[in-house]
Amino acid sequence: MSVIGDRIKKYRVEKGITQEQLGQLLGVTTQGVSRWERGGTPDAEILPRLSEILDVSIDALFGREEKSLALSFARHISQLPQEDAFLYALNVCWSIIIGLMGDVTTIDDFMNMFIEKSVVKDDKKQDYFAKRISDIGMANMRLSPDFYTFFLMKLPKDGLKTVLADKEELRRVFEILADKKMMDIIFFLYSRPIMPIATSLISKSTGLEPTEIDKCMKKLCENNLATKTVVATAEGEINSYLIRTESYVIPLLCFADEMTKKDLRPFMGGFDCNRAFL
């Protein structure tokens, strides 16, 4: 049996349609349908109607649905309004982490906790976490009231140390976030609309001296977290700074927030990792 013949039979049976009924819907003989399922191929002009009746894509009829799934998601998401697109993408992420658990028997139960129907909506204070950690990689999803995050990583064959910057470079990143003055500035800049902000305004809002602001902002700029612009005014030149929205500060803060939870208990988890991460 050919791939398409096998798929036609599979989807026909799933729909509860006989060969005769399918033939009538398509305007072909029962023998014609039988011939497809035994190795023949329908004429190209029949394929759109056939896929419509069987409620599958033409790619699926040819066994290519796995290859085209990512493309289908991308096309669908791109056509949605931004708010709907993010919610749909998060629903897909929820499906991914459920699937990575590798337990077919529990998929339906956990999928009933889809973000749109999540237990989170019944508990306005609780944070729920789903985690999957294995020798292949890890996935982590957080479901909180009006706050969802997702992280997915496939571990490099030789561990993360082969792709990460050296420890000193990494330490400098955490050094910035550990500095109270830096954090005050970062929180202020991200709380404002994304536009250049003068040193004087940052100083007024954080209580730090202008010279201290410029010193801190220099370090942020050196680490690609902000950019500096010098503006000419009637009173002379002033420094202004623009926070870089494409940096990873916000994800880092979200993960740091997870680490602050005192009673962190994933409501769903799968852990079978025996290899070293680094």
Side-chain angles (χ1 to χ4, degrees):
M1 185 181 294
S2 67
V3 172
I4 190 170
D6 179 60
R7 293 307 177 96
I8 290 174
K9 182 177 180 179
K10 174 180 181 293
Y11 296 127
R12 175 181 63 78
V13 172
E14 288 178 355
K15 295 286 286 187
I17 302 173
T18 66
Q19 288 184 341
E20 181 179 5
Q21 291 171 330
L22 181 58
Q24 290 174 348
L25 290 170
L26 291 169
V28 301
T29 65
T30 302
Q31 290 76 15
V33 175
S34 176
R35 188 163 53 251
W36 298 340
E37 294 186 357
R38 287 186 284 108
T41 302
D43 292 336
E45 59 268 21
I46 290 178
L47 291 176
R49 176 61 178 155
L50 179 60
S51 68
E52 180 182 350
I53 293 170
L54 298 179
D55 196 25
V56 296
S57 67
I58 294 177
D59 277 342
L61 290 175
F62 284 93
R64 296 195 297 261
E65 68 273 25
E66 295 298 326
K67 296 178 182 178
S68 64
L69 187 58
L71 180 59
S72 297
F73 279 142
R75 286 176 174 168
H76 180 67
I77 291 172
S78 70
Q79 296 170 1
L80 296 173
Q82 278 290 292
E83 185 171 351
D84 293 340
F86 269 88
L87 181 59
Y88 181 84
L90 284 164
N91 287 341
V92 171
C93 293
W94 179 238
S95 303
I96 290 171
I97 201 166
I98 296 299
L100 287 173
M101 292 296 169
D103 187 352
V104 177
T105 62
T106 63
I107 287 179
D108 288 341
D109 291 336
F110 282 118
M111 285 307 293
N112 287 333
M113 295 181 186
F114 226 54
I115 292 176
E116 295 170 312
K117 308 171 185 177
S118 174
V119 289
V120 174
K121 291 194 174 183
D122 298 323
D123 189 339
K124 298 302 182 183
K125 297 181 179 179
Q126 183 64 51
D127 296 293
Y128 293 91
F129 298 90
K131 296 178 182 290
R132 177 70 176 107
I133 302 175
S134 74
D135 289 337
I136 304 302
M138 63 172 59
N140 176 25
M141 190 157 192
R142 174 179 179 176
L143 305 178
S144 303
D146 299 319
F147 181 43
Y148 311 127
T149 62
F150 180 74
F151 172 77
L152 176 67
M153 178 184 70
K154 183 179 183 299
L155 280 172
K157 181 179 179 181
D158 297 322
L160 285 171
K161 64 183 177 183
T162 62
V163 296
L164 295 177
D166 65 66
K167 287 184 287 186
E168 183 58 24
E169 290 289 333
L170 295 173
R171 188 193 64 77
R172 278 197 285 268
V173 173
F174 289 102
E175 185 180 62
I176 290 173
L177 298 179
D179 186 290
K180 183 181 182 304
K181 296 175 183 178
M182 291 287 194
M183 282 293 280
D184 287 344
I185 293 172
I186 287 172
F187 266 73
F188 170 68
L189 292 176
Y190 275 107
S191 70
R192 301 277 303 179
I194 305 303
M195 62 179 66
I197 300 177
T199 298
S200 58
L201 180 56
I202 302 175
S203 176
K204 179 180 179 180
S205 301
T206 62
L208 299 172
E209 293 296 326
T211 54
E212 194 68 31
I213 295 292
D214 287 331
K215 180 180 177 181
C216 291
M217 290 308 304
K218 179 181 179 182
K219 185 173 290 189
L220 290 179
C221 291
E222 289 173 347
N223 286 274
N224 298 316
L225 299 179
T227 57
K228 175 184 176 181
T229 303
V230 178
V231 180
T233 70
E235 289 75 30
E237 294 183 343
I238 62 172
N239 294 331
S240 66
Y241 300 95
L242 177 65
I243 198 73
R244 296 187 64 164
T245 56
E246 77 275 17
S247 73
Y248 287 92
V249 169
I250 296 301
L252 275 173
L253 291 176
C254 291
F255 285 119
D257 181 73
E258 178 180 330
M259 296 173 70
T260 67
K261 303 302 177 185
K262 306 302 182 185
D263 57 347
L264 176 59
R265 295 180 180 178
F267 79 101
M268 180 184 68
F271 313 96
D272 55 8
C273 186
N274 299 302
R275 60 172 291 189
F277 286 107
L278 296 174

